[in-house]
Amino acid sequence: MINFNGTYVLEGSISPLKLVEKYGCPLYVYESEVIKRQYDRLINAFKVPDLKINYAAKALNNINILRYMFSLGAGLDTVSIQEVQIGLKAGFLPENIMYTPNCVSIEEIGQAVHLGVRINIDNISILEQFGTLYPDYPVCIRINPHIMAGGNSKISTGHIDSKFGISFHQMPLIHRIIKATGLHVDGVHMHTGSDILDIDVFLQGTEILFQVAKEFENLSYIDFGSGFKVPYKEEDIETDIEELGEKITNRFMDFCTEYGRNLTLMFEPGKFLVSEAGTFLVKVNVVKQTTSTVFAGVDSGLNHLIRPMLYDAYHKIVNISNTEGRYRFYTIVGYICETDTFGVNRRLHEISEGDILAFYNAGAYCYTMSSNYNSRYRPAEVFIFNGIDYLIRQRETLEDLLNGQVEIENLKPMSHPAYS
Ligand SMILES: *Cc1c(COP(=O)(O)O)cnc(C)c1O
């Protein structure tokens, strides 16, 4: 998280401007210190005997970030078979990988069985097929508790019309399948979506999951998913993890007593662990004044950071090349041939062409959602690990853009009449 001490600095007193000189622009930078701070906050908040934090790989999936999570003691939460494979390659043990797919085929789930990871099933049809094919393989069941959490309907996953999870009203059906197939359920799960603003709403969801859990005799864990909110603006409220931790810890311990056994408490945060650890650095190509607006056009766009356009995400933006000039209002836009506005009417120190701007909260769902739209290269990634900067992904080249394309011989220019 880029800090201001007269100039902007990152972990290890590293200057982001120096990183741009060294690695070029645009550039994603992540700080290990911030990830560790957030991980420790979770560990300290939930004081149960068995806690497992499974990092949601989809937020930021560079193999070095995964390995860093592993070194902290985290497991991995995955949503595709490819994420499972990358997780195994990073060094996670199969039992520390949770596979929580949605609407994938039974064949893909079969591959996960083969790899030996934990499997979380989120619909009745797959549960039935799974029970028939793999009756001896323990599974977790994703329950939809029908609570409305989350700041935006696209990231809210627990409400009644959501495509995620099996409704807790369908418990009789779940039991019938288990009885018919002999399936062993070893965990129950919920994930209500991003941005928990109201702790009480989240606690209502956990009560529903406890009710469900009581109906299974041989559980070894309960997974409450994620949705922990981090601040994007100064005045933003974040999920009060310490308060949530205290409430859930007490209730969970009581539940274990009632259940007659100690269970593992699991969470699977993505954003909470990596959002603030990331900074995105871009260069201003053009300052353009229209009758109503001053635009700052940067060397990036929705191809590198789509969250503002996709779900109105707010990213704080500062001018790190000019820390003292007067403030002016700018609308920060990208270079893509489509409206790609990063921020409207932002107050920044006066911008000159060539200045470097830094975007906050660029760790989660930023690089992983990037694309090559407009035939642009995706940015390089740098990880500051124990105060030293490492290049962890090269900037792309033209070969990367053409990679995988298969050329038809008869369409090659040399075979065109115009060339003969
Ligand atoms: C995306 C996802 C998460 C992580 O959500 P965050 O809001 O980034 O913490 C956790 N669990 C599941 C099943 C997910 O799909």
Side-chain angles (χ1 to χ4, degrees), residues 295-310:
F295 288 104
V298 303
D299 64 349
S300 180
L302 59 80
N303 51 330
H304 298 157
L305 178 61
I306 200 173
R307 304 180 73 249
M309 305 91 194
L310 191 62

Side-chain angles (χ1 to χ4, degrees), residues 54 56 58-59 77-79 100 120 142 164 189 191 193-195 225-228 268-272 364-365:
N54 291 328
K58 73 177 186 289
D77 189 71
T78 58
V79 293
T100 305
N120 191 356
R142 178 172 186 170
F164 298 97
H189 165 270
H191 172 62
S194 278
D195 292 1
S226 179
F228 304 138
E268 45 192 39
K271 188 187 281 181
F272 187 82
Y365 308 107

